[in-house]
Amino acid sequence: MTSEHQTLALMLFSLFIAVTLGITTWVSRNRHGSAEEFYAGGRLFSPMENGFAIAGDYMSAASFLGISGLIALFGYDGLLYSVGFLVAWLVVLFLVAELVRNCGRFTLADVVAARMSERPVRIAAGTSSVVVSVLYLVAQMVGAGSLVGLLLGNSSAAVRTLTVIGVGALMVVYVAFGGMRATTWIQIVKAVLLMGGAITLTVLVLLRFHGDFDRLLTTAAERSGYGLDFLSPGLKYGGDWTARFDFISLGLALVLGTAGLPHILSRFYTVPTARAARRSVVWAIALIGGFYLMTIVLGFGAAALVGPDEVRASNASGNTAVPLLAAHLGGGAETTGGAVLFAFVAAIAFATILAVVAGITLASSASVAHDLYASLKRRHARQRSEVSVARAAAVGIGAVAIALGLLAQDLNVAFLVGLAFAVAASANLPVLLYSLFWRGFTTRGAVWSVYGGLVPAMLLVLVSPVVSGSPESLFPGVDFQLFPLQNPGIVSIPLGFLAGWVGTVTSGEEPDEAKHAETEVRSLTGAGAV
């Protein structure tokens, strides 16, 4: 890409950053400084606004960059990520959306602590939420580094390092000064931009093949080097039994993990009622479903028009497939049309990353302040003090995410998000479902459920091929691999449910029937909900 075209792309980047910082400044002047304002935006958003914000929160760099890249490289097996991410919303819609809105106030721990001893439950749930959020943040940082490196025509470690640091600094500014209201409007703007960009590219790909989707698939298979195997299961996950179990593990993590993601659960508190929360999810499913259908076209379009070899040469994990496709559709990277379309798509992808990291950072800083700080310091922390802690926590979480993002620069972003989903499904989902539906659930069961999923998931990742033992690992020069699968979900998710059950049946604590009855009525009717 020529220097003039790079300048155009950087101007679009700068424009979006200026708009989002403007939103943050505007919101910061009109805030009241209360916890409800900072964590939930005053609960003033409509179902449609919140639905767009949820979609903006969920359609991350993993969706736009990672999934399309995996489809471009592995065909059918890459498509499975799209299916898992979308089906997960049925679990959210039917099992948790309304109930969580009725039972909680700001965080996952609010739901569980409603009928348990608050302190141990809040510490456990808060710790788990921070771990999941940081893992998710790392994926966004990696996507940002790949994107800006491609944009500048320089994928050196120095460029990616500066990009990761810059994104981390921006996300801290958004959260610390704007809170939930600024974060929500940034996500709404980003969702509109992302859907517009995806629709534009999808239409251009289909026009290139005269609307013949079968011809698109055939051309992609021919260019892939794998022939028709590119359109069949097994290219990535069908080689042996280890690969097949890895796929099952990934599928479980994707389908069950969404309902345990802290930044998704926190969005249900930004609307005034449980009915509005449910309608928000319906809006989100419509937007997300349409988007994931388009990622299929974009992935196969990149394979057919750009070719897997060129995608892999640009980024080994495929994270740059969509920007390369955009340049090709516009006439090539050296043409004005190609540069404009490439810059537009790159700016949208960058907007995607900024919006998602803001939402995740807010959710994790809320967990630190509302759950950990309030539990460890004093039970009834003053709201203004709690909000100050949340702002400080955003800085600390940003620093940790930056450090880990620099370490994991060469991993696929969709794969990294799969790990975050696995931890969320292992640690957060069991305690959430047990709290909502099991009358006999106890405090020990809640604590054991969280740690019984969180600790095995993290340990299995540490001794998996992700960290050591293969050329694609974080530390390729060493080998302490003991667990053969890349995703721990198939083992850690059942362990989370099992630990919760064992902790409950071995507990000497008598379940509080009155509190359960109160929680049940509140969750189903909304009576007494904040």
Side-chain angles (χ1 to χ4, degrees), residues 30 46 164 171 190 209 314 320 387 413 436-437 465 505 517-518:
N30 294 278
S46 69
V164 168
M171 78 184 187
K190 166 261 174 125
F209 291 93
S314 171
T320 54
V387 170
V413 288
L436 291 173
F437 300 112
V505 298
E518 179 186 338

Side-chain angles (χ1 to χ4, degrees), residues 15 34 77 81 89 139 167 202 268 302 309-310 354 369 398 401 406 418 440 453 466 489 498 525:
L15 177 63
S34 67
D77 280 11
Y81 274 88
W89 278 97
V167 170
T202 300
F268 300 140
D309 292 338
E310 187 176 336
L354 289 178
L406 295 176
V466 176
L498 179 62
T525 66

Side-chain angles (χ1 to χ4, degrees), residues 29-60:
R29 289 178 178 173
N30 294 278
R31 69 172 187 236
H32 306 297
S34 67
E36 184 169 303
E37 173 73 22
F38 185 79
Y39 296 142
R43 309 189 201 280
L44 299 175
F45 291 99
S46 69
M48 185 181 76
E49 290 170 343
N50 198 43
F52 269 84
I54 290 172
D57 224 345
Y58 195 69
M59 296 185 301
S60 65

Side-chain angles (χ1 to χ4, degrees), residues 7-21:
T7 302
L8 172 65
L10 288 172
M11 286 175 61
L12 287 173
F13 269 9
S14 303
L15 177 63
F16 179 80
I17 292 171
V19 169
T20 53
L21 288 175

